[in-house]
Amino acid sequence: MEAINSKIVSLRKEYSSAFLNEEDVNLNPFKQFELWMHQAVEAQILEPHAMTVSTVSAEGKPSSRIVLLRGFDENGFVFYTNYSSHKGNDMAQNKYACLNFFWPDLERQIRIEGSILKINQQISADYFHSRPRESQIGAWASNQSAVIENRKVVEDAFLHYSEQFKHLEVIPKPEHWGGYNIIPTSIEFWQGRPSRLHDRLRYSNVNDVWKIERLSP
Ligand SMILES: Cc1cc2nc3c(=O)[nH]c(=O)nc-3n(C[C@H](O)[C@H](O)[C@H](O)COP(=O)(O)O)c2cc1C
């Protein structure tokens, strides 16, 4: 591991492509997010909607993983998953989560902290039915985060549900599958700058008014 460690130590990138000023940002953080997401899509960033979601267990143990943002508006940021997964169990016990986007090509990071709400079953079902049929069957076949003997377990489960649903035009949404909405209490926009003097602007919700503060890099 010595070689790769000396390589890692020598990796250095100066961030210099843009800056972030208080007078240029939108007063509404959702509008600012919309602008940055547009720019990420236009820049053809691979999976711009992929975000790290961090949850914390009842015992205070954090864990993180990537999920896909499937929508956002002034009510929050939505992703879909298995309610019985590791993250689902965490969120059943601890109502706070954090989202993080990193777009290296734009030298940008966005951090969203907030509380979690399961979204309405009908909205989850509508989204479930918009997915490819194979993904819908996959949601039935995967007992997400459970330890399994081998890959055959899920492949057999996939075949089992494919057979079970073969005469059904509409596959029912599993009870254990659906969306979460992260309702933000703060949203931080980070723009890389030279000499590690990065720009950081944080919006905090204080009595339903968004306050903007600059944070030290
Ligand atoms: C690019 C990418 C997108 C992903 N999108 C999702 C997603 O939208 N929902 C999901 O449940 N898992 C998604 N995953 C898988 C998760 O990272 C994770 O492995 C899974 O949700 C189980 O996490 P948990 O055991 O911490 O609950 C994605 C992984 C990657 C790399």
Side-chain angles (χ1 to χ4, degrees):
M1 279 177 272
E2 222 171 275
I4 191 65
N5 273 305
S6 57
K7 179 75 190 160
I8 291 169
V9 159
S10 70
L11 290 176
R12 295 241 178 281
K13 180 172 166 34
E14 270 293 279
Y15 299 119
S16 57
S17 62
F19 49 83
L20 187 62
N21 283 336
E22 286 81 344
E23 51 277 18
D24 299 332
V25 293
N26 200 299
L27 294 178
N28 178 326
F30 299 97
K31 297 268 181 215
Q32 184 62 31
F33 182 87
E34 183 182 18
L35 174 71
W36 273 27
M37 182 56 88
H38 261 301
Q39 292 172 346
V41 170
E42 265 164 30
Q44 301 194 331
I45 283 175
L46 188 67
E47 305 278 59
H49 59 325
M51 57 189 187
T52 301
V53 54
S54 298
T55 57
V56 180
S57 72
E59 299 79 44
K61 291 185 183 165
S63 64
S64 301
R65 76 290 291 156
I66 303 281
V67 298
L68 297 177
L69 177 69
R70 285 303 184 194
F72 73 95
D73 60 20
E74 306 231 350
N75 297 313
F77 295 80
V78 171
F79 66 91
Y80 291 89
T81 192
N82 185 313
Y83 290 142
S84 308
S85 63
H86 181 153
K87 70 182 102 42
N89 285 329
D90 280 0
M91 290 186 282
Q93 299 176 70
N94 184 324
K95 294 289 171 203
Y96 297 96
C98 183
L99 307 176
N100 194 286
F101 295 84
F102 174 44
W103 297 321
D105 293 353
L106 295 175
E107 304 175 352
R108 284 177 175 170
Q109 171 182 224
I110 302 175
R111 177 167 64 185
I112 299 167
E113 296 177 1
S115 55
I116 303 149
L117 261 191
K118 269 189 192 173
I119 70 171
N120 170 292
Q121 284 286 338
Q122 190 54 51
I123 296 175
S124 287
D126 290 347
Y127 174 70
F128 181 79
H129 293 123
S130 76
R131 303 171 85 214
R133 192 173 171 90
E134 290 70 28
S135 305
Q136 296 181 34
I137 295 169
W140 278 98
S142 168
N143 182 11
Q144 194 178 56
S145 313
V147 174
I148 50 173
E149 193 71 28
N150 51 41
R151 185 171 172 85
K152 194 168 176 305
V153 172
V154 272
E155 288 177 350
D156 286 351
F158 187 88
L159 291 177
H160 168 83
Y161 285 108
S162 301
E163 184 63 23
Q164 180 170 323
F165 296 136
K166 76 177 174 197
H167 299 302
L168 284 186
E169 201 182 316
V170 179
I171 297 175
K173 179 188 79 60
E175 278 285 306
H176 62 256
W177 193 97
Y180 287 100
N181 189 23
I182 308 292
I183 303 153
T185 48
S186 80
I187 306 184
E188 180 196 330
F189 295 86
W190 183 101
Q191 179 74 59
R193 297 292 306 274
S195 310
R196 301 293 188 252
L197 299 181
H198 312 302
D199 286 330
R200 301 178 62 190
L201 295 182
R202 182 184 63 194
Y203 296 69
S204 306
N205 188 323
V206 183
N207 301 326
D208 279 339
V209 176
W210 290 99
K211 177 174 75 170
I212 303 177
E213 293 166 304
R214 178 170 287 267
L215 303 179
S216 176

